[in-house]
Amino acid sequence: MRRPFFRIAALTIVGLLALLRPGLSSAVLAQIDPRTALLEKAGWDAIAAGQARTAAAAFREALVADPKNPQLHLGAATAAYIERRNEDARDALDRALALDPKLTRARALLGQVLYRMGDVPGAIRAYEALVAETPDD
């Protein structure tokens, strides 16, 4: 009986946090679903090990549970980029940046993807936006 109570309490807290600080809600939701966090970690570990296909599967599964998580879209884009699926990478990066416009790693990878696709003006725009966001980097 206690489990449903704690889940309801946690969701209530998440709802209140979403009202008070909208940016926190996705981070808190990720903490509520440990399976999604484990899938995200498995995806990044697979990328580090050079296993892009495994990473893509992990991120795809995690996105089913948490489609509004920009880090998951970044992970999916990274796996797609490694596999040279440029259009998929660009689409995932566009979603990540729509969810979190300040996600600099996504913008940097978007510049690489656009350049690889032959869209030099688009790559330049991505890098200009990146420099504007992080002038000290």
Side-chain angles (χ1 to χ4, degrees), residues 1-2 18 37 40 43 68 72 76 86 90 104 112 122 135:
M1 265 260 176
R2 286 185 174 202
E40 180 179 8
K68 293 187 178 183
L72 296 177
N86 299 321
R90 183 192 59 214
T104 57
Q112 291 176 326

Side-chain angles (χ1 to χ4, degrees), residues 58-118:
F59 285 118
R60 200 170 24 255
E61 192 173 342
L63 280 165
V64 169
D66 191 3
K68 293 187 178 183
N69 184 329
Q71 293 293 331
L72 296 177
H73 288 287
L74 174 61
T78 303
Y81 177 76
I82 293 168
E83 292 183 314
R84 302 191 74 79
R85 293 183 292 113
N86 299 321
E87 291 83 11
D88 293 339
R90 183 192 59 214
D91 293 344
L93 291 166
D94 286 343
R95 284 189 295 274
L97 289 167
L99 293 167
D100 183 0
K102 301 235 183 252
L103 191 58
T104 57
R105 289 175 37 203
R107 193 159 316 277
L109 184 56
L110 179 61
Q112 291 176 326
V113 169
L114 293 173
Y115 181 78
R116 184 192 278 176
M117 294 176 72

